[in-house]
């Protein structure tokens, strides 16, 4: 079959707990938890019996405690050598780290954290509503760093939902596809100028123009048509179909959620089925370097992993300045970020969270 007529679909894999990714990404995790009403301690107002506390990934009753004992989430843990991009679609996350920074973000916000030479952080999911359920939905994407940036200073940026560019593309029948542009310029159908995303951290692979890196989320109305524009040759691209009943991708019917690897240099028409469908697009030029991973450490050689473990034992990547390993930031729902050095930022129009800022 000639290149001109070959299908742009290269592979389709089922979605597991950790979604498989291609270089420069390491993996992606999707959390979708139907947490119940909150108790007085910002945990679930429900029995925790039958859960492996501290290691609960059971999805019993539609939710998990993860490594949290009282509040769900991930108490303090180290990282080195890569980045986390956390897209929070529902709920709130309380961030604390070994540099003394804190943040409360969610409801469409994104935190982009360059671990670089080393950081310890916690990500807790405080439940604030005592009168109704507290749904939590998020992606956490692990993005590799090239060798030249693995020992960069740790750094995080907040992309507040109010600032993240998005667009609505309507097909000839008026059916809408909503696109949120977290990273990577998007040349939307019929648009003269591309949609330009917010600026990623300075040491990120995404900060390099030639990396052709993109992170987009798509939401298609029933029956909607939209064409995923072509990227450059040599770019890796995966379309994650994670919600919905069916979709046609380049004329091929897909009737189960999955990770669809695509040839990036081809435009691909998506035709949605009879219910709302949602997708995540991850694409980028491969870094093309050796990857040696040991849990939360991602380096280029076994010797660097050994050095990382010694460094962490010696320095704890700056230590842990908080009174416990699962800090939360009070009951005020206001979103904020308090950076190392004390600078505080908030989304436009967000009221001051007095409880949060005292943490």
């Amino acid at each position: 079959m000639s290149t001109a007529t070959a299908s742009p679909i290269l592979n389709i894999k089922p979605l597991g707990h950790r979604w498989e990714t291609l270089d420069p990404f390491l993996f992606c995790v999707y959390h979708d938890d139907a947490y119940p009403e909150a108790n007085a301690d910002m945990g679930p107002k429900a029995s925790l019996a039958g859960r492996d506390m501290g290691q609960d990934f059971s999805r019993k009753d539609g939710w998990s405690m993860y490594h949290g004992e009282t509040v769900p989430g991930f108490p303090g843990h180290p990282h080195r050598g890569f980045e986390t991009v956390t897209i929070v679609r529902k709920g709130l996350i309380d961030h604390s780290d070994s540099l003394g920074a804190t943040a409360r973000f969610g409801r469409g916000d994104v935190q982009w954290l360059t671990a670089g030479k080393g950081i310890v952080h916690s990500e807790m999911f405080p439940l604030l509503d005592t009168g109704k359920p507290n749904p939590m939905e998020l992606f956490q994407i692990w993005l590799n760093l090239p060798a030249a940036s693995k020992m960069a200073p740790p750094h995080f940026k907040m992309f507040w939902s109010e600032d993240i560019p998005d667009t609505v593309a309507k097909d000839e029948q008026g059916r809408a596809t909503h696109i949120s542009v977290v990273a990577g310029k998007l040349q939307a159908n019929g648009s003269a100028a591309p949609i330009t995303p917010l600026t990623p951290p300075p040491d990120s692979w995404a900060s390099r123009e030639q990396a052709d890196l993109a992170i987009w989320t798509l939401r298609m109305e029933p029956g909607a048509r939209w064409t995923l524009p072509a990227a450059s040759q040599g770019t890796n691209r995966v379309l994650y179909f994670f919600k919905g009943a069916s979709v046609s991708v380049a004329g091929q019917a897909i009737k189960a959620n999955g990770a669809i690897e695509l040839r990036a240099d081809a435009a691909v028409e998506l035709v949605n089925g009879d219910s709302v469908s949602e997708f995540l697009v991850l694409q980028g030029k491969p870094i093309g370097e050796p990857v040696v991973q040991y849990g939360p450490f991602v380096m280029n050689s076994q010797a660097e992993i050994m050095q990382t473990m010694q460094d962490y034992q010696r320095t704890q990547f700056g230590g842990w300045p908080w009174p416990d390993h699962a800090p939360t930031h009070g009951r005020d729902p206001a979103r904020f970020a308090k950076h190392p050095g004390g600078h505080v930022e908030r989304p436009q129009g967000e009221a001051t969270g007095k409880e949060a800022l005292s943490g």
Side-chain angles (χ1 to χ4, degrees):
M1 187 179 289
S2 70
T3 302
T5 58
S7 170
I9 297 176
L10 302 177
N11 200 356
I12 302 176
K13 293 184 178 180
L15 297 179
H17 171 62
R18 289 187 176 190
W19 297 356
E20 292 186 38
T21 56
L22 299 174
D23 187 1
F25 299 96
L26 297 165
F27 67 80
C28 175
V29 176
Y30 175 56
H31 296 296
D32 188 8
D33 291 284
Y35 290 117
E37 298 173 2
N39 63 22
D41 299 316
M42 292 183 284
K45 188 178 179 182
S47 171
L48 301 181
R51 295 179 182 270
D52 182 9
M53 294 306 295
Q55 193 74 252
D56 174 38
F57 291 78
S58 66
R59 287 198 55 78
K60 184 176 181 289
D61 302 321
W63 51 274
S64 299
M65 287 294 291
Y66 303 107
H67 298 304
E69 296 281 354
T70 302
V71 175
F74 297 85
H77 55 282
H79 290 309
R80 174 182 274 186
F82 65 100
E83 300 183 284
T84 59
V85 182
T86 306
I87 304 171
V88 187
R89 293 154 59 89
K90 297 176 185 175
L92 293 167
I93 290 182
D94 279 359
H95 164 96
S96 305
D97 66 40
S98 54
L99 304 181
T102 57
R104 170 166 283 176
F105 62 97
R107 300 170 183 166
D109 300 330
V110 175
Q111 185 196 61
W112 196 313
L113 171 67
T114 303
K117 66 181 180 181
I119 194 169
V120 180
H121 75 147
S122 67
E123 303 156 290
M124 304 310 297
F125 307 160
L127 310 183
L128 302 185
D129 201 321
T130 58
K132 61 182 181 181
N134 290 269
M136 166 66 73
E137 184 186 7
L138 66 94
F139 301 107
Q140 185 165 96
I141 300 158
W142 284 26
L143 172 62
N144 201 10
L145 285 168
S149 301
K150 283 195 177 292
M151 297 298 284
H155 179 85
F156 78 84
K157 293 192 74 170
M158 293 306 311
F159 291 0
W160 304 114
S161 61
E162 294 86 345
D163 302 324
I164 296 171
D166 55 37
T167 188
V168 178
K170 292 194 176 181
D171 61 23
E172 293 180 352
Q173 308 302 317
R175 294 164 177 156
T177 297
H178 302 255
I179 308 111
S180 178
V181 181
V182 176
K185 291 181 180 179
L186 172 66
Q187 186 74 51
N189 298 359
S191 174
I195 297 168
T196 301
L198 301 174
T199 304
D203 294 295
S204 177
W205 184 243
S207 68
R208 305 187 186 196
E209 187 74 25
Q210 71 273 20
D212 196 24
L213 192 136
I215 302 172
W216 304 326
T217 61
L218 317 175
R219 182 180 183 275
M220 300 185 75
E221 292 181 349
R225 292 174 175 263
W226 184 73
T227 299
L228 183 64
S232 61
Q233 192 170 21
T235 293
N236 288 332
R237 171 182 275 180
V238 181
L239 174 72
Y240 297 91
F241 174 35
F242 68 95
K243 279 190 180 180
S246 65
V247 65
S248 170
V249 178
Q252 180 172 332
I254 310 292
K255 296 186 176 181
N257 296 159
I260 307 164
E261 182 184 351
L262 297 170
R263 215 181 74 227
D265 59 350
V268 175
E269 185 182 49
L270 308 179
V271 183
N272 192 24
D274 295 333
S275 61
V276 171
S277 291
E278 298 196 60
F279 308 83
L280 172 70
V281 176
L282 297 182
Q283 75 172 45
K285 285 281 177 64
I287 294 172
E289 296 174 349
V291 174
V292 180
Q293 180 175 353
Y294 183 79
F297 307 138
V298 182
M299 303 302 288
N300 297 106
S301 69
Q302 190 61 44
E304 289 173 337
I305 290 291
M306 295 298 293
Q307 184 63 56
T308 296
M309 294 170 67
Q310 293 169 13
D311 291 347
Y312 178 60
Q313 289 172 357
R314 187 179 70 254
T315 69
Q316 298 294 294
F317 294 161
W320 189 248
W322 311 107
D324 63 68
H325 282 278
T328 53
H329 306 323
R331 289 195 163 274
D332 193 316
R335 297 169 294 151
F336 75 97
K338 186 176 183 180
H339 293 267
H343 169 66
V344 176
E345 63 168 310
R346 303 181 191 90
Q348 281 191 337
E350 189 83 4
T352 303
K354 294 181 180 178
E355 280 187 282
L357 296 182
S358 67

